[in-house]
Amino acid sequence: MTDVASDFRQPRRYVRLDTILRLRWLAVLGQLAAIFIVAQGLEFDVPIVPCVTIVTFSALLNLALQTAANPMQRLEPMQAAGLLALNIVELAGLLFFTGGLQNPFSFLFLAPVLISATALPIRLTIALGCLAVACASALFFFHFPLPWDSDDPLVLPPVYLVGVWLSIVLAIGVTSLYSFQVTEEARKLADALAATELVLTREQHLTQLDGLAAAAAHELGTPLATIFLISRELEKTVKDPSFAADLKTLREQTQRCRDILSKITQLSSTGAPFDRMKMSELIEEVVAPHRDFGVEIKVRLAVAATPEPVGSRNPAILYGIGNIVENAVDFARTTVEVNAWWNAETVEVVVSDDGPGIAPDMLKRIGEPYLSRRRGADEAQNPRGGLGLGVFIARTLLERTGAKVSFTNRTFPDHGAVVQIVWPRERFEEAAPGDETES
């Protein structure tokens, strides 16, 4: 499961150059509009030359990047962070000439850090946040006067400016952390769902192998029949004992091949025994691979008045229950119990073990992607550690077949985890290998 999941856990994230350029052009247009409105509309005394110089430098850099590079290319995280850092420095330069933290646009320090939190690694986001805080701190002490009416100048008390600085710092921290957390959760969920689809596709391919084998057997049946008939006729006409013995061996081996292919064709024909499985057969197939790991697996099937449920050989159900049994074997001390019972309305499977159980802090979150807590021995065997996708994929696949999956611990003084899987009987018996995509 770790090998499958590792394909989806990319440690680096990339942003398109076009995305950064669009944001920078938006900033250029907004800055020019603000300068024009304040200078011409409000008739305040704005240092136009240095402000326009900074905006012009930003626009020229945008043009150079659009000309020299493909806007559709994805930037390395350091390159994207460099452009966002330049945005912070340019904004600090404009605020230096227009009042520092007294300027209401000082809150735009949040924008580059917020973008970084949603698209770049956490270390770069922290670095950009520190840069923004440093620029805001410098502007608290060093800046030109705020453009205002010369007859009635605006003088803000230092306490107010400290409040502005503190609000900028807190806003950068809180909004960046929130954005990073939401984006990370969404990315984890998307990666985990992609891994789920990959696992399901592999399971379906395995299920389809018997159909391919049946098709191959059908195609080989005709030439083998021809070889069998010709060898039998030749055996009747050839008088040489040595040739007759060889022809007899050829006929017998050809008949043996035909018998083998005949058995293979029964595996996937409609209504064949392996197309549909009784609950007892399903449990045994799931449990069998885990019997030789030093843990006793007890299987109990309830005797009910209703007939035993028979469902399709569904790879989603086989994988889902199999993964839960595997986890139970991993954590059990001596025993794993797999209990199944049914009635006219429901089909239920309960997997329990006598291990340490599920930690209280994980019990409500169990089944989330990339949530894992392995024992020390497991971590020593697997230095990379588990990614926690196994239970997520198992739960997702089982729920797509109509099951409800719940995780609990045994009641004290017993200890161990209990996983309960319940289907509506009609849904279980109708579930086919392709039905799990319909939910």
Side-chain angles (χ1 to χ4, degrees):
M1 175 55 11
T2 299
D3 293 338
V4 173
S6 61
D7 296 336
F8 298 92
R9 293 283 286 172
Q10 300 297 330
R12 305 177 70 184
R13 289 178 274 178
Y14 299 89
V15 183
R16 286 192 309 174
L17 175 60
D18 182 63
T19 302
I20 300 293
L21 289 178
R22 287 176 182 270
L23 295 172
R24 287 181 57 83
W25 279 121
L26 182 62
V28 167
L29 294 176
Q31 290 161 2
L32 287 175
I35 294 172
F36 176 79
I37 292 174
V38 173
Q40 301 297 324
L42 301 178
E43 297 183 351
F44 288 165
D45 185 15
V46 179
I48 296 179
V49 174
C51 291
V52 172
T53 301
I54 295 174
V55 176
T56 302
F57 170 78
S58 180
L60 291 176
L61 179 60
N62 290 353
L63 290 174
L65 290 173
Q66 281 188 323
T67 304
N70 180 6
M72 293 297 106
Q73 79 175 60
R74 295 193 176 273
L75 299 174
E76 294 287 333
M78 285 297 296
Q79 295 173 335
L83 289 175
L84 291 174
L86 186 59
N87 289 349
I88 294 175
V89 174
E90 291 171 352
L91 177 61
L94 289 172
L95 292 175
F96 173 77
F97 291 107
T98 57
L101 297 186
Q102 298 179 20
N103 192 318
F105 290 102
S106 59
F107 281 92
L108 289 177
F109 277 127
L110 274 66
V113 184
L114 194 60
I115 294 169
S116 175
T118 60
L120 299 181
I122 184 63
R123 69 181 190 280
L124 296 179
T125 301
I126 293 175
L128 289 173
C130 292
L131 176 61
V133 171
C135 291
S137 301
L139 291 172
F140 180 85
F141 299 100
F142 309 103
H143 58 82
F144 277 55
L146 178 70
W148 201 257
D149 187 355
S150 57
D151 296 333
D152 185 19
L154 177 65
V155 179
L156 297 175
V159 175
Y160 180 85
L161 294 180
V162 170
V164 172
W165 176 85
L166 186 60
S167 65
I168 292 175
V169 173
L170 292 178
I172 289 175
V174 173
T175 58
S176 299
L177 179 62
Y178 177 78
S179 300
F180 178 82
Q181 188 66 28
V182 171
T183 304
E184 188 71 6
E185 290 295 328
R187 186 182 65 83
K188 284 182 179 180
L189 183 59
D191 291 348
L193 289 174
T196 302
E197 296 297 336
L198 176 60
V199 169
L200 181 57
T201 300
R202 289 180 178 177
E203 292 295 320
Q204 288 176 331
H205 287 172
L206 291 175
T207 303
Q208 292 167 357
L209 286 179
D210 55 359
L212 296 175
H218 177 75
E219 294 296 329
L220 290 172
T222 301
L224 283 174
T226 303
I227 295 173
F228 176 81
L229 292 174
I230 293 176
S231 62
R232 187 174 62 181
E233 294 301 322
L234 288 174
E235 188 180 354
K236 293 178 181 179
T237 58
V238 172
K239 304 303 182 182
D240 190 334
S242 60
F243 283 107
D246 291 340
L247 288 172
K248 180 180 179 181
T249 302
L250 176 62
R251 176 177 57 81
E252 290 175 349
Q253 294 302 313
T254 304
Q255 181 60 40
R256 183 182 177 188
C257 291
R258 295 178 67 190
D259 293 340
I260 293 173
L261 292 178
S262 176
K263 293 179 181 179
I264 293 176
T265 57
Q266 296 177 3
L267 296 180
S268 288
S269 58
T270 303
F274 292 96
D275 265 354
R276 299 186 66 79
M277 307 175 69
K278 293 182 179 180
M279 172 59 73
S280 56
E281 295 170 347
L282 184 150
I283 296 297
E284 183 57 34
E285 179 165 338
V286 167
V287 166
H290 307 288
R291 289 192 181 278
D292 299 326
F293 290 91
V295 175
E296 181 184 5
I297 301 180
K298 298 180 180 179
V299 177
R300 296 189 180 93
L301 301 177
V303 178
T306 56
E308 183 176 353
V310 179
S312 298
R313 183 185 173 84
N314 192 325
I317 295 178
L318 293 173
Y319 180 88
I321 300 179
N323 183 272
I324 291 173
V325 171
E326 180 182 0
N327 275 281
V329 171
D330 286 344
F331 287 95
R333 290 188 173 93
T334 60
T335 306
V336 171
E337 296 183 4
V338 181
N339 300 322
W341 54 83
W342 56 86
N343 55 31
E345 289 78 29
T346 61
V347 176
E348 182 173 343
V349 175
V350 177
V351 180
S352 58
D353 61 71
D354 61 352
I358 304 172
D361 62 317
M362 297 180 66
L363 193 57
K364 292 183 179 180
R365 301 178 56 203
I366 194 74
E368 291 183 8
Y370 305 107
L371 178 68
S372 179
R373 180 174 293 179
R374 291 284 184 177
R375 296 174 295 185
D378 296 332
E379 293 175 356
Q381 295 174 0
N382 183 12
R384 293 189 302 168
L387 292 177
L389 270 180
V391 176
F392 170 81
I393 291 177
R395 183 173 192 168
T396 301
L397 294 180
L398 289 171
E399 288 178 347
R400 287 187 175 187
T401 66
K404 291 184 178 180
V405 185
S406 60
F407 299 83
T408 58
N409 286 321
R410 287 180 168 180
T411 306
F412 185 82
D414 295 332
H415 50 82
V418 179
V419 182
Q420 184 182 40
I421 310 165
V422 182
W423 289 270
R425 178 164 181 146
E426 181 180 359
R427 184 71 183 272
F428 176 84
E429 293 184 327
E430 290 180 355
D435 289 346
E436 64 272 12
T437 58
E438 301 175 5
S439 57

